[in-house]
Amino acid sequence: MNSKFKMILQDIDAVIARDPATHSRFEAILCSAGLQAIIAHRGCHWLWNRNFRLLARVLAQAVRFLTGVEIHPAARIGKGFFIDHGMGVVIGETTEIGNNVTLYHGVTLGGVAAFDKHGKITAKRHPTLGDNVVVGAGAQILGPIVIGNDAKIGANAVVLKDVAAGQTVVGVPAHKTQHRADASRKFAAYGVCAADKDPIECRLEALETELRELKKASSRTKS
């Protein structure tokens, strides 16, 4: 139980470290719905692992009603977890989350049925997030995929494939951005940085520039 208490303290300190609007542990406990949800989940997960599963589910539903955050009691969540703003977050049953992960409001870690080589549905249906992952508001990470350590998922991205460690992805479907090599381990609010370049946007800009040059060349030829 002592280790559980230490983990909850780390969750509280994560709020203070990553939310500039929160200035004390007392304020975090009273005012952070995401923190309230994760503290309750620690208890529900403890009950789930001791086969009080119906009670764990009922309590998790009550927490969902009170905080707007839905976490299945079976989900495995590491230390230093932070849900900013909280409302609308869904974390499915077979989700695994590493240490020091940040989720923003409206994030879904959802389940998609996967099949083994014999055509049977596998037990693992939800994503696995590594350490220090940041997931922006409204992002959807679906299926038994792996998000590597230090990865960043941009707001409203839809992620259906594995994301490599240190990579930033944006868009629908999600695709990686171009960013500085030293930026992968830095915290980025909402999973994106203004300095990151979207390669699709860069290609479109290059095409527009090429079209303008072609039009200029064509007008010079006609004249």
Side-chain angles (χ1 to χ4, degrees):
M1 188 60 71
N2 188 42
S3 62
K4 286 287 184 185
F5 181 72
K6 286 182 179 179
M7 185 174 283
I8 289 171
L9 283 180
Q10 288 172 318
D11 293 330
I12 296 170
D13 289 341
V15 178
I16 299 170
R18 293 175 228 162
D19 181 5
T22 302
H23 307 288
S24 69
R25 286 177 170 175
F26 190 60
E27 182 181 358
I29 292 169
L30 289 178
C31 302
S32 174
L35 175 62
Q36 293 161 1
I38 186 58
I39 291 174
H41 170 73
R42 302 293 186 198
C44 292
H45 187 67
W46 185 87
L47 289 170
W48 180 272
N49 288 338
R50 283 152 184 79
N51 288 320
F52 296 103
R53 296 193 168 182
L54 179 58
L55 176 60
R57 287 297 306 275
V58 170
L59 290 175
Q61 284 297 107
V63 173
R64 175 181 181 271
F65 175 77
L66 292 170
T67 66
V69 178
E70 180 177 340
I71 309 176
H72 193 285
R76 295 164 58 186
I77 300 176
K79 62 185 180 182
F81 184 58
F82 176 40
I83 302 175
D84 201 356
H85 302 296
M87 185 62 68
V89 169
V90 177
I91 300 175
E93 178 183 8
T94 61
T95 301
E96 298 174 63
I97 298 175
N99 298 323
N100 304 313
V101 170
T102 301
L103 306 185
Y104 287 85
H105 51 285
V107 167
T108 299
L109 305 181
V112 173
F115 299 88
D116 62 19
K117 62 182 179 180
H118 303 295
K120 295 182 179 179
I121 297 177
T122 60
K124 178 70 171 168
R125 307 186 313 279
H126 299 83
T128 297
L129 277 59
D131 298 338
N132 308 308
V133 171
V134 179
V135 185
Q140 314 293 303
I141 306 176
L142 307 176
I145 60 177
V146 176
I147 310 300
N149 295 342
D150 304 297
K152 298 176 180 64
I153 312 300
N156 294 316
V158 177
V159 186
L160 303 173
K161 297 179 180 179
D162 292 351
V163 176
Q167 201 170 80
T168 298
V169 298
V170 297
V172 182
H175 53 274
K176 65 180 180 180
T177 63
Q178 300 169 353
H179 64 285
R180 302 185 312 278
D182 63 343
S184 63
R185 291 186 176 273
K186 293 181 179 178
F187 180 79
Y190 294 93
V192 291
C193 174
D196 292 345
K197 294 183 178 180
D198 187 334
I200 293 178
E201 184 178 348
C202 290
R203 286 197 290 268
L204 288 173
E205 289 176 354
L207 284 171
E208 288 178 353
T209 301
E210 186 176 349
L211 282 171
R212 284 196 296 269
E213 293 300 323
L214 286 171
K215 287 179 179 179
K216 288 180 183 179
S218 176
S219 62
R220 286 197 295 269
T221 302
K222 288 178 181 179
S223 60

